Amino acid sequence: MVENKPIVYVISDSVGETAELVVRAAASQFDGKQINIRRIPYVEDRETVDEVMTLAMENDGIIAFTLVIPGLREYLIEEAGKKNIPLYDILSPMMMLLQRKFNKIPKNEPGLVHALDENYFRKVEAIEFAVKYDDGRDPRGILRADVVLVGVSRTSKTPLSQYLAHKRLKVANIPLVPEVDPPPELFHIPKDKVIGLTISSEKLNTIRTERLKALGLKEEANYAKFQRIEEELVHSKRIMEQLGCDVIDVSNKAVEETANIIYHMIQKRKEK
């Protein structure tokens, strides 16, 4: 039975993250929610390739792939051609271009982009740091962080921390709540390490209302009331002014956009 949403099968002899990102980027131009992506990582044999092609034929699907093992790549291209399966090779055109430019033969080894180098370990360390010092769990992280995010609940502090961790930045985040004094450590670090996150009361009301619905709670809860939201925003603004930190309005920004703004701010400061 063919599914309503078009299916893209992503085949890789490594993790498959690169191929999926390319597919999602392309799909975003056609409303990315209207496709179904099935990632098949660590493909090393023809049997798995055959299984995916069978699924693609049954579901009128598309195959996108990043296979660097020559024999496997050639087999997929040849067999998909015979079966008239729409196929897209993500890596080969760029590899061929670089091969001509460098006048070298590529290694054709899967997973080299995820090699266990120093950058990889720094990324893992930063991700673990973001988890450990999320939501003000341990204020000692403030003193060790590259950047500290502060803001009221639902200003994307946690997803921003994780996103920036993938860029190898150690991030701690602190919720600002009127009933709780901020950790003293927050006032003992350079102000340029602190980033305040603010949001419009209307946007925050919408986000919190949806959050309550997702949790199966009543929309009338104090958490989403405008009076409570205004109280929190006034309190957070006062704390940010005391800290003298930069403030970013996240009301109409995607997490990725805000994260890139923060990342470039941090990089500029490091260059000074």
Side-chain angles (χ1 to χ4, degrees):
M1 180 180 178
V2 178
E3 294 191 16
N4 292 328
K5 292 182 180 181
I7 301 177
V8 180
Y9 296 93
V10 171
I11 300 179
S12 176
D13 42 24
S14 183
V15 180
E17 186 180 53
T18 301
E20 182 172 345
L21 285 172
V22 171
V23 172
R24 289 196 183 280
S28 68
Q29 301 298 318
F30 304 91
D31 188 351
K33 295 179 181 178
Q34 301 305 314
I35 69 164
N36 217 325
I37 297 177
R38 307 276 180 85
R39 194 199 300 188
I40 301 92
Y42 303 113
V43 175
E44 298 178 344
D45 54 72
R46 294 186 175 189
E47 289 74 15
T48 304
V49 171
D50 287 336
E51 290 173 9
V52 177
M53 285 193 290
T54 299
L55 289 170
M57 291 175 65
E58 291 176 353
N59 295 298
D60 192 26
I62 297 170
I63 295 178
F65 68 95
T66 52
L67 296 174
V68 298
I69 302 173
L72 208 55
R73 182 174 67 238
E74 291 159 7
Y75 176 76
L76 172 60
I77 293 171
E78 183 178 346
E79 293 301 312
K82 291 178 183 177
K83 296 175 171 60
N84 293 317
I85 299 171
L87 188 71
Y88 185 71
D89 185 344
I90 291 172
L91 282 184
S92 292
M94 191 65 202
M95 286 174 61
M96 290 174 65
L97 187 63
L98 292 175
Q99 182 176 337
R100 290 195 294 269
K101 188 69 176 177
F102 298 143
N103 195 26
K104 288 183 179 180
I105 303 297
K107 294 180 179 180
N108 293 320
E109 297 176 20
L112 291 182
V113 74
H114 297 287
L116 302 184
D117 57 11
E118 183 182 353
N119 283 335
Y120 174 85
F121 287 112
R122 284 175 59 196
K123 182 191 292 187
V124 171
E125 184 181 3
I127 292 170
E128 291 175 345
F129 186 95
V131 172
K132 184 175 181 179
Y133 299 111
D134 180 47
D135 208 29
R137 290 177 188 167
D138 186 345
R140 291 175 298 181
I142 294 172
L143 303 175
R144 297 177 51 213
D146 296 315
V147 58
V148 180
L149 305 178
V150 298
V152 301
S153 172
R154 313 314 294 178
T155 46
S156 302
K157 295 186 298 298
T158 296
L160 282 169
S161 297
Q162 286 295 327
Y163 193 100
L164 292 167
H166 280 80
K167 293 181 178 290
R168 300 180 296 282
L169 287 176
K170 292 181 179 178
V171 186
N173 72 77
I174 306 294
L176 298 180
V177 185
E179 294 78 14
V180 181
D181 291 334
E185 290 88 346
L186 198 55
F187 298 89
H188 295 158
I189 60 173
K191 65 179 182 180
D192 62 3
K193 279 194 173 185
V194 184
I195 304 288
L197 304 174
T198 190
I199 190 171
S200 71
S201 55
E202 294 78 11
K203 184 69 173 180
L204 188 54
N205 169 259
T206 300
I207 294 172
R208 289 189 174 183
T209 300
E210 290 302 317
R211 178 61 175 165
L212 290 172
K213 286 181 185 177
L215 294 173
L217 301 174
K218 293 182 179 179
E219 298 175 33
E220 298 81 18
N222 193 44
Y223 178 68
K225 287 183 178 178
F226 274 105
Q227 183 178 347
R228 172 62 183 183
I229 287 172
E230 291 290 353
E231 181 184 351
E232 289 187 35
L233 290 174
V234 168
H235 171 75
S236 68
K237 182 180 179 182
R238 184 166 58 249
I239 297 299
M240 292 174 197
E241 287 175 349
Q242 290 175 15
L243 292 167
C245 63
D246 287 322
V247 179
I248 299 173
D249 189 335
V250 301
S251 302
N252 299 304
K253 291 182 177 65
V255 170
E256 295 84 355
E257 183 183 358
T258 306
N260 283 327
I261 292 171
I262 295 171
Y263 180 76
H264 289 304
M265 288 169 65
I266 299 301
Q267 293 304 111
K268 284 183 179 179
R269 289 167 185 170
K270 286 183 177 179
E271 291 169 3
K272 290 182 180 179

